[in-house]
Amino acid sequence: MGEGTRIALTVAAAWALEEARSDLGEPFLRVLHHMIMLWRNAPRSPNEVTRVTLSSGELQQAFPDMRARIIRLIPDYFSCEPFLSASYNKQQDGSWTMDVPRGVTRYEYATDLLAYVRETCRQVHLLRQEADMEPFVEPPAPTPPLDAVLHISASRTALLKWLWHQKQQRASGGPMPNVLGVLSDDEFAMDQGVRFTEDEIDRASAHLEQHGLIKGGGTIDEKAGPVLAEITAPGEDCVENYNGDVSAYIRQRNGGTVTFHIATNMGNIAANSTGFTQNAVTQASSAPAQILAAVSLIRQLAPALTPDAGEQQALLTQVSDLQAAASAATPDHEAVRRIANGIHSTLHDLAYSPDVQRLALEAVEQGIQNL
């Protein structure tokens, strides 16, 4: 209690003090059950929060035998109760208007003072239990930061897949769907727990149209892509054969056949490309030299084998161990083979770019075979 707190009797006092029952306890219970009836009979609307009010004039009409002095005190009685305090407005003539608290319904079966006091004590006990448990509640897991690159890629996939479904459902010759309709479909409207924005879907629409995966019914001035669009045959191919992975589909479609013959490491390697053949060739005469050539190649390929910095570092640590073993004055071929086999196992798990992965595996395999 603060310095300005007004001390007053609660309804529990009326149960303990016989002289307080007629002026406090009994009128309180009558008004309480009148409020419960008002809540039960209040009209409900799906568009508005239900609000129930009671005025002193309405209460006087409902209980004509209740003394005016008691009616004037009703808002004060309720303001002292733990779960029934509500906002009210008093006029100079003693009349008042009060919001009926939603909590009145929990006292539906409190037909006498003792039942009311017991229910209030039960509610207080539950609150204290919850408060005692609070410090031990595990904090919610931190939300991982949004991967912007994946999010943009996902917006293109989501829009393309959504348009694919729209085409299956739309009657032949029907109007093109509005691309922003994807935002109303919970199956396609989110990525990483974040809903796509209208701007993101607009940019996705422009990207898909640019690559011929959708065709639009025109754009408006402030939009980058078509507002009305439908999926094209290439777009359907992307959904049905590439699971809507737009980047993979475009790489496959635009890629040609390129042959890389890589001898001793001489330069940079093309990464994450498809549709080409790569052959690792070593020209060293001794087995350790072939292993060292593989080491040099894998160091060059590491950024293309995985975008994960931790995985790159783990691989490069293994490669350094292999280089040290193979560079020894008298190499221990069993130790070299053991380390090389470990690198071979690691490379099997790095499938970010299958063609680059295959190139690295072939280099290690060739080195091991000649030990």
Side-chain angles (χ1 to χ4, degrees):
M1 291 183 287
E3 292 182 2
T5 302
R6 184 175 64 86
I7 306 301
L9 295 179
T10 65
V11 174
W15 172 64
L17 304 173
E18 182 71 33
E19 59 271 28
R21 291 188 184 178
S22 60
D23 284 353
L24 173 56
E26 293 171 4
F28 176 87
L29 278 179
R30 293 177 70 187
V31 176
L32 175 66
H33 284 277
H34 181 69
M35 288 178 168
I36 292 171
M37 181 198 68
L38 292 177
W39 256 110
R40 295 295 184 206
N41 297 332
R44 301 292 196 271
S45 168
N47 303 317
E48 297 178 358
V49 176
T50 301
R51 185 184 178 195
V52 181
T53 59
L54 176 64
S55 68
S56 54
E58 293 167 347
L59 192 60
Q60 187 70 73
Q61 289 181 358
F63 301 112
D65 59 324
M66 191 174 288
R67 286 172 290 169
R69 182 181 69 84
I70 298 298
I71 289 178
R72 285 198 298 271
L73 293 172
I74 288 298
D76 297 320
Y77 290 169
F78 276 82
S79 67
C80 294
E81 297 308 299
F83 302 101
L84 298 177
S85 177
S87 61
Y88 62 89
N89 182 30
K90 271 191 175 183
Q91 305 299 324
Q92 289 185 349
D93 61 1
S95 62
W96 50 262
T97 301
M98 179 173 67
D99 288 335
V100 177
R102 185 183 296 272
V104 295
T105 54
R106 71 182 71 181
Y107 294 104
E108 190 167 5
Y109 301 106
T111 56
D112 58 33
L113 284 173
L114 181 57
Y116 170 79
V117 172
R118 283 177 172 164
E119 176 59 25
T120 300
C121 289
R122 189 180 76 85
Q123 296 293 335
V124 170
H125 182 67
L126 289 174
L127 268 184
R128 292 197 60 177
Q129 280 185 320
E130 292 176 5
D132 290 342
M133 289 171 61
E134 242 178 44
F136 302 98
V137 175
E138 279 198 28
T143 303
L146 181 70
D147 187 319
V149 174
L150 291 180
H151 191 66
I152 293 302
S153 177
S155 71
R156 297 165 182 170
T157 296
L159 178 58
L160 190 64
K161 284 187 171 182
W162 183 78
L163 288 171
W164 184 92
H165 284 282
Q166 296 305 303
K167 186 167 185 176
Q168 313 314 308
Q169 299 167 9
R170 185 163 53 97
S172 178
M176 291 181 177
N178 188 317
V179 297
L180 295 182
V182 70
L183 298 175
S184 302
D185 191 328
D186 288 341
E187 183 180 354
F188 300 104
M190 298 180 68
D191 166 64
Q192 303 174 63
V194 177
R195 298 189 79 88
F196 298 121
T197 65
E198 290 189 8
D199 285 343
E200 287 168 345
I201 294 302
D202 177 41
R203 291 195 294 270
S205 175
H207 183 83
L208 295 177
E209 185 185 44
Q210 178 185 354
H211 291 282
L213 301 180
I214 67 173
K215 61 180 180 181
T219 60
I220 55 180
D221 289 343
E222 64 270 22
K223 297 294 183 182
V227 177
L228 303 179
E230 66 179 2
I231 193 168
T232 61
E236 290 181 89
D237 182 40
C238 178
V239 171
E240 294 163 8
N241 296 307
Y242 290 82
N243 196 32
D245 187 334
V246 176
S247 297
Y249 179 80
I250 293 172
R251 282 200 305 270
Q252 178 277 335
R253 185 180 65 183
N254 295 341
T257 300
V258 181
T259 301
F260 288 88
H261 296 284
I262 302 175
T264 303
N265 181 27
M266 298 293 290
N268 295 325
I269 308 299
N272 211 20
S273 302
T274 59
F276 61 81
T277 303
Q278 301 185 95
N279 298 310
V281 179
T282 57
Q283 297 176 343
S285 57
S286 66
Q290 290 178 321
I291 286 291
L292 291 174
V295 164
S296 181
L297 178 64
I298 294 171
R299 278 210 174 98
Q300 201 170 20
L301 294 178
L305 285 164
T306 172
D308 185 278
E311 291 179 343
Q312 287 183 33
Q313 186 56 50
L315 175 63
L316 291 174
T317 299
Q318 287 180 292
V319 166
S320 294
D321 292 342
L322 181 59
Q323 181 180 19
S327 300
T330 307
D332 182 340
H333 283 206
E334 286 303 315
V336 171
R337 183 187 300 275
R338 186 176 62 254
I339 299 171
N341 282 332
I343 293 176
H344 193 272
S345 177
T346 298
L347 290 171
H348 263 294
D349 296 331
L350 303 180
Y352 175 71
S353 179
D355 294 296
V356 179
Q357 178 194 40
R358 185 174 64 253
L359 178 63
L361 286 169
E362 288 174 354
V364 175
E365 288 165 0
Q366 186 173 352
I368 292 174
Q369 287 172 4
N370 288 282
L371 284 174

